[in-house]
Amino acid sequence: MQVTSSVREPLVTGGKSYHDVTYDVARQVEGKPTKLWFLAFLTAAGVLALGSIALLATLWEGIGMWGLNKTVGWAWDITNFVWWVGIGHAGTLISAVLLLFRQKWRTSINRAAEAMTIFAVICAAMFPVIHMGRPWLGAYWALPLPNTFGSLWVNFNSPLLWDVFAISTYFSVSLVFWYIGLIPDFATIRDRATGLRKTIYGALSFGWDGAAKTWMRYESVSLILAGLATPLVLSVHTIVSFDFATSVIPGWHTTIFPPYFVAGAIFSGFAMVLTLMIITRKVFKLEDYITMGHIELMNIVIIITGSIVGIAYITEFFIAWYSGVAAEQYAFINRATGPYWWAYWSMMTCNVISPQLFWFKKIRTSIVATFLLSLVVNIGMWFERFVIIVTSLHRDYLPSSWAMFYPTWADIGVYLFTFGLFFTLFFLFAKFFPVINMAEVKSVLKSSSDKVHK
């Protein structure tokens, strides 16, 4: 007997059967790459190759290739690092937190969101390593190696070291969570394949047999990993915010940073999921699985997190005024009216004003409007990180040391390299791995139908 909600739209439309789900998802993996996929992949690979020039130049010449100076020692590199870490937050939230809360609407989007997390964290982790200048000579200093290795132990009081542990833990748990979810689908493709493909997907499926005990263990492991990953959603970006909040620099030394950074990370992460899923549903013809209901629910999350971010911006100004500290007050006035005013107001427009358009159902359920606003949010969140980092550094306590930061071609090129890497990995994932979790989508078919019973 089908049980259908009288309130909610079905999660899967089109009257799909179990066979239809398998066919619709597996055909993308089994078929030959389309011309559109080749065009997108070659574009991403071209950006990756172009950015490699800037990356190699930076590694060869050193970070003097960037626009840094003795006043602004952090700029695009750390801006991009924090931005990419934020992008990776929605994947774990959709997979872990929504799983624990039994939110069935996550089933069609969690696989791609998890993959996005993995690739975004890889891009983020590059920037602290590159910032070392000669990473092959000193990257090991970030590891807790014993003194017998020939060096001193790392400083565990430094939030920069906490980043190493937080991000590596986040990456490891997210990677295992993502791969565990892929195993049943790899087994499905294995059973449909022949020859070398059968051998490859057979190895990837780890001998999955689909028995009741196997499924029981799968469910148990998924819940355990979700329980481990959920605190990471809050802790990782909290620890990233400590890079700034534990300093004494005006504009950084504030206790609102941890919750504010977490909300901003989920905000930008959901925007990137929307950007990718809107393209994926169109290119792979998955409109029956990634429905307007999914898109509308993600837009609601963007409204909530965008509003939290807006409140955080206002609170920062209030606390700066209420503190009575002249340097703190000037730091925020300088953000809004100083040389980087355009970045500040771009941030406010993109992050505070634009998400409020989603209060209108017509906009919230429009594919074009959602896609454009998701891009606007990601641009705004990049500007937020830029404003926090650069405007707090370029004018410090001594006017004689004030300086401006101007990005060089190497700054821009390394950023393009990470974009090329991210999209190259995502397009490879979308072609050779099931982009939708077939096993979990089949589990919600029992509560889905073509019509909503009134």
Side-chain angles (χ1 to χ4, degrees):
M1 181 183 73
Q2 276 197 335
V3 180
T4 308
S5 170
S6 60
V7 178
R8 289 181 178 158
E9 294 289 338
L11 295 172
V12 179
T13 59
K16 300 292 184 181
S17 65
Y18 291 147
H19 172 74
D20 293 332
V21 174
T22 302
Y23 173 76
D24 290 342
V25 178
R27 65 178 175 167
Q28 313 299 337
V29 179
E30 297 166 344
K32 292 182 178 179
T34 63
K35 290 182 180 178
L36 189 59
W37 182 88
F38 264 120
L39 178 63
F41 176 74
L42 291 175
T43 302
V47 173
L48 177 63
L50 189 64
S52 298
I53 298 172
L55 178 62
L56 291 172
T58 299
L59 292 174
W60 184 263
E61 299 290 344
I63 59 173
M65 295 289 293
W66 296 346
L68 304 177
N69 51 60
K70 64 181 181 180
T71 301
V72 185
W74 280 2
W76 269 49
D77 49 313
I78 305 300
T79 298
N80 297 334
F81 161 69
V82 180
W83 187 77
W84 277 117
V85 172
I87 292 296
H89 256 57
T92 305
L93 185 133
I94 289 170
S95 299
V97 179
L98 297 186
L99 173 63
L100 294 177
F101 282 96
R102 305 295 184 183
Q103 295 297 304
K104 297 296 184 182
W105 63 271
R106 59 178 281 282
T107 54
S108 293
I109 58 174
N110 66 330
R111 174 69 52 72
E114 290 164 16
M116 184 195 77
T117 291
I118 303 299
F119 307 146
V121 172
I122 291 172
C123 293
M126 288 178 52
F127 284 99
V129 174
I130 300 169
H131 197 272
M132 294 177 183
R134 297 288 186 267
W136 56 90
L137 296 178
Y140 67 86
W141 286 94
L143 303 174
L145 299 171
N147 292 350
T148 52
F149 185 77
S151 61
L152 293 175
W153 275 57
V154 290
N155 180 10
F156 288 100
N157 292 325
S158 170
L160 298 178
L161 182 65
W162 306 344
D163 278 348
V164 175
F165 292 107
I167 292 171
S168 59
T169 304
Y170 183 60
F171 178 79
S172 302
V173 173
S174 299
L175 183 63
V176 173
F177 198 14
W178 177 60
Y179 192 84
I180 291 292
L182 279 163
I183 289 176
D185 289 356
F186 281 149
T188 300
I189 296 170
R190 172 201 64 195
D191 296 340
R192 294 166 55 91
T194 58
L196 180 61
R197 289 171 62 85
K198 189 177 185 70
T199 303
I200 293 171
Y201 286 105
L204 291 172
S205 63
F206 284 173
W208 177 274
D209 58 6
K213 182 173 284 188
T214 308
W215 276 109
M216 182 183 70
R217 289 170 176 166
Y218 170 82
E219 295 288 346
S220 299
V221 170
S222 295
L223 286 172
I224 290 169
L225 288 173
L228 290 173
T230 298
L232 291 175
V233 174
L234 302 175
S235 67
V236 172
H237 225 56
T238 295
I239 289 173
V240 169
S241 76
F242 288 166
D243 294 349
F244 311 102
T246 56
S247 72
V248 295
I249 295 175
W252 288 3
H253 189 64
T254 172
T255 54
I256 200 175
F257 266 22
Y260 158 28
F261 268 53
V262 171
I266 296 170
F267 181 50
S268 60
F270 265 84
M272 183 61 86
V273 170
L274 277 170
T275 303
L276 295 176
M277 296 312 296
I278 287 172
I279 296 172
T280 302
R281 77 190 288 271
K282 184 67 177 177
V283 171
F284 290 158
K285 298 180 175 58
L286 298 171
E287 289 88 351
D288 288 330
Y289 302 96
I290 306 168
T291 66
M292 279 311 307
H294 292 95
I295 292 171
E296 184 175 8
L297 286 167
M298 285 193 282
N299 284 337
I300 290 170
V301 174
I302 287 178
I303 294 173
I304 295 168
T305 51
S307 300
I308 293 171
V309 168
I311 291 169
Y313 294 160
I314 296 168
T315 304
E316 278 189 310
F317 263 88
F318 171 77
I319 294 300
W321 166 78
Y322 191 71
S323 69
V325 179
E328 194 76 24
Q329 293 171 353
Y330 178 76
F332 285 91
I333 293 171
N334 181 54
R335 284 183 185 178
T337 62
Y340 290 110
W341 65 268
W342 50 273
Y344 177 82
W345 291 108
S346 297
M347 172 192 81
M348 293 295 287
T349 303
C350 295
N351 294 346
V352 180
I353 298 172
S354 69
Q356 304 310 315
L357 296 173
F358 284 137
W359 285 104
F360 300 99
K361 189 174 180 65
K362 189 172 183 180
I363 296 176
R364 196 167 66 240
T365 55
S366 167
I367 296 292
V368 175
T370 298
F371 182 73
L372 292 176
L373 286 173
S374 70
L375 293 176
V376 167
V377 167
N378 276 311
I379 292 169
M381 287 307 295
W382 187 91
F383 273 115
E384 180 206 279
R385 277 59 183 250
F386 179 83
V387 165
I388 289 172
I389 294 165
V390 175
T391 62
S392 299
L393 289 175
H394 86 115
R395 288 186 174 178
D396 57 13
Y397 294 104
L398 295 174
S400 60
S401 64
W402 289 0
M404 294 290 289
F405 166 78
Y406 300 102
T408 65
W409 69 272
D411 283 298
I412 298 169
V414 173
Y415 188 36
L416 287 177
F417 174 85
T418 57
F419 264 103
L421 178 63
F422 178 83
F423 284 104
T424 298
L425 292 173
F426 189 84
F427 290 138
L428 288 172
F429 153 77
K431 178 64 191 78
F432 296 107
F433 288 3
V435 76
I436 284 180
N437 193 322
M438 291 186 279
E440 293 196 3
V441 168
K442 289 174 184 177
S443 72
V444 301
L445 284 183
K446 293 180 181 179
S447 58
S448 300
S449 67
D450 284 327
K451 295 182 180 180
V452 179
H453 295 267
K454 301 294 184 185

